Amino acid sequence: MAGRTRKLISRIRFRKIRSRFFFVMILLSLPPLFLLGYVSFNIAKDTLTENNTKTNIDHLRTSSEVADLLFRNIVNLNRYVVLNDDIRNDLRKSEIKNSQEQNEMNTRTINRLQRVINNNSFDTRFVDSMCVFDLHYQTYCLGRSDDAGIYETPNKKQEIERTEWYRKAVNAQGRVVFFGYNVLGDKADSFSTVKLFRDSESREGKTIGLLVVNLSKSMFGSVFNASQENGLFMAIDSSRETARIVYPEVPALTPPLAVGTLTETMDELKERGYLISEFRNQSTQWTFVHMIKKRELLKQSNKIGTATALIASLIAFVALVISFIVSGSITRPLLQLKKMMVDWNKGSRDIGGAFKEDEVGAIGETFKRMAIENQELDARLFHSELKEREAELRALQAQIKPHFLYNTLDSIYWMARLKKTEEAAAMALALSESFKLSLNKGKETIPVFKELKHIEHYMTIQNIRYNGRFRYDVDVDPAIMGIEMLKLILQPLVENAIYHGLEPKIGEGTIRFEGRKDGDFLLFAVEDDGVGMEDVSRTEQGYGLRNVRERLMLYYGPSSSFEISSEPGRGTRIEFRIKPFPEEVTPNA
């Protein structure tokens, strides 16, 4: 298998670089161009679909808001009718009436309903009829005959009370309930709202009647305000287990939709190739739907796809012609430039050869000049960085040692004059040990435990000078004792705490030293209970702390940190974090 693959590759491989260049150009040009055409087509299709969906949802939202205005008008109409005292009194006193009495009652009720409408300027464009039912289910209607539709039978009371819409109206406890059909069952082009009359004089809110308002489904034509050319709008009553299409009366779908839940209905529409947008109406909790055939929507996108394919083919042809012409003039100097770069990468510093005066030649000459300059700069930079780093470290360290030495020798001098020979001997011994640790055989780093020893010797000297005024507490994690750190970092911090914090303070003072691991970092802190300071920036004016900060930055780099916090009368805390190099971590030391 491997042999066959090698043979196939050898047949495809061209001897001339120009031929290879041309072949590579075909591979690099044609697939991306046709992929671009395919991606462009799909982006155009997706963009068109998303924009259409967004537009339709916005349209449905606006339509729902318009419908809410109309529905609220109907809800208010229901409330004003139910709150009419004359109608409520008639219902409260209702009894079985003969034909003449019922006609008179109907005339009075119609007049009262008309007055409610006129006095409150209700919009009744889409109100098909209004019917009031008393306790005996006698019907008084405005806009239709005085009957209960399909329930106008000898058993009218029992039949109405068994219906779903009646039970929902009772369970709604006086709220207006919307139904996606005419509850009286005699007109297919209308739907109904039902509201109970409750007796306000009854503590239990006894039911004294029903109000049924039948609305024309032509309302939705005004609500959606769109032509069928841009898709079909539907209003679906999704409050029931089985979804009911409220509008249009007869959906223009062949075959008709199967009976099912709202989700099943939407899935069936999607299976038929419709793009669906939906929005739930706030007043009725019905679902407003817009649907359009995807193939109708994507006609324009298909045109874009065809045009993109033609343009991509034309660009591919032009690209191949140009690449064939240009390849011969480019390959030769490119190969020369490639050879020069490969030789440089392998370590050869013999940059020779000449280039023609063209773009590739300019690149080649520039590379030659940059290679020579880079070689010279690397050498100068290497030596310069070594000397600068060494000089800075030595200078910063030298600024710390004389200050400490001067103070200690001055104290030994005065003790000798006062003949305190034991204390002078102890101070001299501490100074000697301190210098041994400082020298550290010429190494720049020192284990943490030796740096702590250095601090102990320094505190011995200072307590002799100040008659034991200072207490020194150490809280260092034993696990870090053997880790190497830059030497002479902690002593300037302790010195700063004594001279600027504890010396001006009346009475004894305490210096607390902390050290622990913080992930890959070491965290150290020196804290005193001295006089503190208001302006922390004053610490930058002296050599000690500024030198420590600079030494940390030079040795450990920008990953190190150095922070000072102080409060007058409470003391000062200096904290720094360093990340030791891997070779400096010796936890078992």
Side-chain angles (χ1 to χ4, degrees):
M1 185 66 182
R4 292 179 180 178
T5 304
R6 284 194 295 270
K7 288 181 180 180
L8 180 61
I9 294 174
S10 64
R11 290 179 181 177
I12 296 175
R13 184 179 297 167
F14 300 97
R15 293 184 179 180
K16 293 184 178 180
I17 296 177
R18 180 177 182 181
S19 301
R20 296 178 187 175
F21 184 86
F22 183 66
F23 180 71
V24 169
M25 286 298 297
I26 293 175
L27 293 180
L28 294 178
S29 300
L30 292 184
L33 284 172
F34 287 106
L35 179 62
L36 174 64
Y38 176 77
V39 171
S40 300
F41 169 73
N42 282 280
I43 289 176
K45 181 181 70 174
D46 294 341
T47 302
L48 187 61
T49 302
E50 290 175 4
N51 290 341
N52 181 78
T53 302
K54 183 178 182 300
T55 301
N56 288 329
I57 289 177
D58 291 340
H59 191 167
L60 290 173
R61 182 182 291 107
T62 303
S63 299
S64 178
E65 292 172 356
V66 173
D68 283 333
L69 292 175
L70 296 174
F71 289 145
R72 280 196 289 271
N73 178 71
I74 300 302
V75 169
N76 291 332
L77 174 60
N78 275 265
R79 290 173 178 170
Y80 273 87
V81 171
V82 170
L83 294 175
N84 185 274
D85 291 333
D86 294 333
I87 298 176
R88 295 171 69 86
N89 287 334
D90 288 342
L91 292 176
R92 195 179 291 115
K93 301 174 183 177
S94 64
E95 57 184 1
I96 302 297
K97 297 178 175 62
N98 57 38
S99 178
Q100 181 179 355
E101 291 174 339
Q102 191 166 358
N103 287 336
E104 293 174 356
M105 178 65 178
N106 185 59
T107 302
R108 289 199 304 271
T109 302
I110 289 174
N111 292 334
R112 288 166 179 165
L113 291 174
Q114 195 64 56
R115 281 198 298 273
V116 169
I117 294 173
N118 295 337
N119 291 341
N120 297 280
S121 302
F122 285 112
D123 182 2
T124 57
R125 286 177 299 162
F126 304 109
V127 176
D128 190 60
S129 61
M130 299 174 61
C131 293
V132 176
F133 291 77
D134 63 14
L135 288 174
H136 304 287
Y137 294 90
Q138 297 173 111
T139 312
Y140 313 100
C141 294
L142 170 64
R144 62 171 287 149
S145 59
D146 303 326
D147 59 46
I150 60 174
Y151 304 105
E152 194 60 46
T153 63
N155 297 323
K156 177 167 57 175
K157 173 178 171 55
Q158 291 80 3
E159 290 187 15
I160 289 178
E161 290 181 350
R162 283 199 298 267
T163 61
E164 177 191 16
W165 61 266
Y166 177 81
R167 291 196 299 271
K168 283 189 174 181
V170 171
N171 292 335
Q173 298 182 347
R175 296 195 311 274
V176 177
V177 183
F178 286 82
F179 296 93
Y181 56 94
N182 188 314
V183 296
L184 301 183
D186 55 356
K187 293 186 71 176
D189 61 348
S190 62
F191 63 99
S192 303
T193 66
V194 181
K195 180 175 175 60
L196 293 180
F197 283 88
R198 290 187 176 274
D199 189 356
S200 59
E201 297 180 0
S202 169
R203 181 175 299 178
E204 295 81 13
K206 178 183 177 183
T207 301
I208 57 176
L210 281 174
L211 173 63
V212 177
V213 179
N214 297 313
L215 305 172
S216 174
K217 291 184 179 180
S218 63
M219 172 193 295
F220 293 104
S222 174
V223 166
F224 293 128
N225 191 24
S227 65
Q228 298 295 329
E229 296 179 357
N230 297 322
L232 177 65
F233 286 90
M234 300 175 66
I236 301 177
D237 181 1
S238 53
S239 61
R240 308 169 60 191
E241 183 177 350
T242 302
R244 175 192 289 270
I245 298 177
V246 181
Y247 174 85
E249 302 168 30
V250 181
L253 297 174
T254 305
L257 290 171
V259 177
T261 63
L262 176 64
T263 303
E264 292 170 345
T265 302
M266 295 297 102
D267 291 342
E268 183 178 352
L269 289 173
K270 291 176 182 177
E271 289 176 1
R272 294 191 186 187
Y274 285 97
L275 181 65
I276 304 298
S277 304
E278 53 185 291
F279 191 85
R280 187 173 291 274
N281 177 257
Q282 184 176 1
S283 298
T284 60
Q285 296 303 308
W286 295 349
T287 302
F288 289 176
V289 176
H290 176 272
M291 57 186 186
I292 186 172
K293 279 284 188 182
K294 285 187 178 180
R295 65 171 179 269
E296 296 296 328
L297 178 64
L298 298 178
K299 282 182 179 179
Q300 187 177 1
S301 176
N302 293 332
K303 293 179 181 179
I304 295 174
T306 303
T308 303
L310 291 175
I311 294 172
S313 300
L314 179 61
I315 294 174
F317 177 75
V318 174
L320 291 177
V321 172
I322 294 175
S323 64
F324 182 80
I325 296 172
V326 175
S327 59
S329 62
I330 294 179
T331 51
R332 284 187 298 274
L334 282 177
L335 289 173
Q336 182 182 355
L337 181 61
K338 174 187 174 183
K339 182 178 182 302
M340 184 182 297
M341 290 181 175
V342 170
D343 292 342
W344 174 265
N345 190 47
K346 291 180 178 179
S348 174
R349 296 297 179 260
D350 182 14
I351 305 299
F355 291 91
K356 294 182 180 180
E357 295 182 357
D358 56 13
E359 289 81 358
V360 179
I363 295 174
E365 294 297 332
T366 302
F367 175 77
K368 289 168 61 178
R369 186 171 60 255
M370 289 176 59
I372 295 172
E373 292 177 355
N374 186 63
Q375 185 176 358
E376 295 174 354
L377 286 174
D378 283 345
R380 288 201 300 267
L381 183 62
F382 178 75
H383 292 294
S384 175
E385 287 182 347
L386 285 178
K387 290 182 179 180
E388 182 180 2
R389 182 177 178 85
E390 182 179 356
E392 287 178 343
L393 288 174
R394 297 297 181 186
L396 291 174
Q397 184 174 342
Q399 289 176 353
I400 296 174
K401 292 178 180 178
H403 188 252
F404 174 48
L405 178 62
Y406 172 82
N407 289 331
T408 306
L409 291 176
D410 183 64
S411 297
I412 294 174
Y413 168 75
W414 285 107
M415 287 180 182
R417 292 196 62 178
L418 295 174
K419 297 184 180 180
K420 295 183 177 181
T421 55
E422 293 183 2
E423 292 181 348
M427 183 177 287
L429 178 61
L431 178 61
S432 173
E433 294 297 326
S434 179
F435 273 130
K436 287 181 183 179
L437 293 171
S438 298
L439 294 173
N440 195 31
K441 298 180 181 180
K443 292 178 60 179
E444 294 297 332
T445 60
I446 190 171
V448 172
F449 75 89
K450 287 189 177 181
E451 183 73 357
L452 294 179
K453 282 289 185 183
H454 189 188
I455 301 303
E456 290 178 8
H457 294 315
Y458 178 77
M459 290 301 299
T460 298
I461 294 170
Q462 296 294 13
N463 272 319
I464 293 173
R465 289 183 62 203
Y466 290 95
N467 295 321
R469 284 180 56 194
F470 311 129
R471 191 170 74 250
Y472 175 54
D473 294 334
V474 179
D475 181 13
V476 178
D477 186 356
I480 71 171
M481 287 294 191
I483 299 177
E484 296 277 331
M485 65 178 293
L486 190 62
K487 67 181 179 181
L488 287 177
I489 290 295
L490 300 178
Q491 184 270 338
L493 307 185
V494 176
E495 182 178 356
N496 182 79
I498 290 176
Y499 287 117
H500 299 289
L502 300 182
E503 186 179 18
K505 177 182 177 181
I506 299 175
E508 296 182 351
T510 301
I511 297 177
R512 176 178 175 81
F513 181 75
E514 301 176 12
R516 65 178 186 276
K517 289 200 72 173
D518 183 11
D520 294 334
F521 289 82
L522 297 183
L523 176 65
F524 294 99
V526 176
E527 184 175 6
D528 65 73
D529 59 356
V531 296
M533 67 185 83
E534 293 184 359
D535 185 8
V536 177
S537 63
R538 288 190 308 166
T539 58
E540 296 292 335
Q541 299 174 3
Y543 280 114
L545 297 187
R546 188 170 73 244
N547 287 344
V548 171
R549 187 194 301 270
E550 291 177 357
R551 291 183 67 209
L552 288 174
M553 183 63 66
L554 283 171
Y555 190 80
Y556 292 104
S559 65
S560 63
S561 64
F562 188 88
E563 298 178 358
I564 304 175
S565 58
S566 182
E567 185 177 347
R570 300 290 297 275
T572 301
R573 178 181 175 89
I574 301 176
E575 182 176 291
F576 67 88
R577 296 169 78 246
I578 58 174
K579 185 176 182 180
F581 299 104
E583 61 272 14
E584 296 175 351
V585 180
T586 54
N588 296 323

